Amino acid sequence: MLKALIFDVDGTLADTERDGHRPAFNAAFREYGLDWDWDAPLYGQLLAVTGGKERMKYYVERFRPDYVKPAGFDDLVAELHKAKTRHYTRMLAEGGIPLRPGVKRLLTEARGAGLTLAVATTTTPENVIALLRHSLAEDGPDWFAVIAAGDIVPAKKPAPDIYVWALEKLGLTPDQCLAFEDSENGILSSRGAGLPTVVTVNDYTRDHDFSGALAVLSDLGEADAPYQRLDKAEPAEKGVVDLARIRGWMGPG
Ligand code: XBP
Ligand code: MG
C-alpha cells in the first residue's frame, strides 16, 4: 500500500538549475576573481555530474586544462560552494523560483490524505529548506517527514544511497513509496533503491534515458493545463497526477 511520496528537488519540484544554481555558481566565481563563467548550454553538460563541489571539480578537469590548481584546491572548492549556497538561498529569498505545475497541488492532496512526504536530493540542505520555505509555504519544510540531502551520503546520485538513506529514516520498504525524478541520474538512483518512479522532464533532461519509469510526463499537470504522457504513443494520456491516478499506475498493492 502506498504510504509515502519521495521527491527529488532540482528539476522536479522546481526548475532550479538554469536560472538558480547556475547564476549562483557564476556569482561565486566572480566573488573569488575567477574567470569561470557557465552559460546555459555548458551547464547542461556539467549536469552530468551531481553535487556542486563535484561539478566544479569536473569542470576544471574536463573544460579548463589551462587552469593551474592552487595548493589546497579542495578547500577553495569548499569555499566557493559555501559562497554559491549563500547566493542561491538569497535568490530564493528574493522570490526567485516558482514550483513546477501540479507540485503544490499534489503535495497538498497527499498531506491531506495522510501520506508521508520526503525529499531525496543531491543538493545542500539549506537550499532545500529555502526552496520549500519561499516557494511552497512558510512552514513548507515541516510538510516533509524526512529531508535526505547533500553530503549525508558520500556517493551522490546516480548511486542509490540517498534513497536508501531516506527509506531507512522513513522505516518503509520501496514498494510502499513512490519517487518523483526529472533526470537519468535521478532515476538510476531511485530505481537502484527499488523505488517505482514517475518522471517529469524538463529542458535539460527531455532526451535522457528513463528506462524503468512508471510514467514519463511533461509535468504533474493542473486542471487547466494537463500533463502530456511522453513514454507511450498511445493512448494519448493527459490529465493531472493525483492520488487516484498514482494508485491506478501502481495497482492495488
Ligand atoms: C541536483 C544537483 C545539485 C545541484 C546543486 O541533482 O545535481 O548538484 O545542481 O546543488 P538532483 P549543490 O536533482 O539529481 O538531486 O550545489 O548544493 O550541490
Ligand atoms: Mg533532479
Side-chain angles (χ1 to χ4, degrees):
M1 200 178 97
L2 182 64
K3 297 217 161 131
L5 305 182
I6 311 179
F7 290 84
D8 169 51
V9 175
D10 297 305
T12 300
L13 293 184
D15 274 321
T16 49
E17 294 289 10
R18 196 191 63 188
D19 299 326
H21 289 293
R22 186 183 66 85
F25 279 111
N26 286 333
F29 301 154
R30 280 196 300 276
E31 193 181 321
Y32 277 74
L34 291 162
D35 69 345
W36 306 354
D37 184 48
W38 294 354
D39 64 19
L42 171 63
Y43 195 68
Q45 295 185 61
L46 297 175
L47 283 173
V49 173
T50 61
K53 294 187 286 292
E54 294 82 351
R55 189 168 299 144
M56 285 187 265
K57 289 181 184 171
Y58 172 65
Y59 167 70
V60 166
E61 297 304 330
R62 168 89 170 65
F63 294 93
R64 294 304 297 260
D66 58 309
Y67 177 73
V68 181
K69 286 189 213 164
F73 177 63
D74 280 3
D75 294 338
L76 171 62
V77 167
E79 271 187 51
L80 283 168
H81 194 248
K82 280 207 183 84
K84 177 259 170 178
T85 300
R86 177 166 35 77
H87 288 293
Y88 179 75
T89 52
R90 177 185 39 79
M91 286 164 58
L92 291 174
E94 287 167 359
I97 302 172
L99 297 180
R100 294 191 64 190
V103 168
K104 187 166 188 179
R105 176 188 51 69
L106 178 60
L107 291 173
T108 304
E109 184 195 5
R111 248 182 122 213
L115 289 190
T116 300
L117 299 175
V119 154
T121 177
T122 303
T123 201
T124 304
E126 291 109 286
N127 298 346
V128 183
I129 302 296
L131 182 76
L132 296 176
R133 181 162 293 144
H134 299 299
S135 300
L136 175 62
E138 183 53 37
D139 67 343
D142 303 334
W143 294 26
F144 293 80
V146 169
I147 295 182
D151 295 327
I152 50 165
V153 292
K156 294 188 172 164
K157 298 175 187 178
D161 304 36
I162 194 75
Y163 277 102
V164 171
W165 192 93
L167 286 170
E168 274 171 22
K169 285 275 163 195
L170 289 166
L172 296 173
T173 55
D175 57 317
Q176 294 174 312
C177 304
L178 179 64
F180 291 84
E181 273 290 352
D182 72 302
S183 70
E184 186 169 348
N185 279 331
I187 193 173
L188 284 169
S189 175
S190 60
R191 294 292 298 142
L195 285 154
T197 304
V198 169
V199 172
T200 52
V201 304
N202 57 56
D203 286 345
Y204 276 134
T205 67
R206 202 165 296 286
D207 298 327
H208 287 191
D209 180 356
F210 295 119
S211 304
L214 195 59
V216 182
L217 313 170
S218 55
D219 51 62
L220 295 177
E222 298 283 18
D224 58 354
Y227 70 73
Q228 290 187 29
R229 187 146 183 181
L230 305 174
D231 55 336
K232 283 193 181 138
E234 53 88 33
E237 191 185 299
K238 287 186 170 196
V240 296
V241 178
D242 55 15
L243 294 182
R245 181 133 321 187
I246 287 171
R247 292 200 170 101
W249 286 332
M250 292 184 78

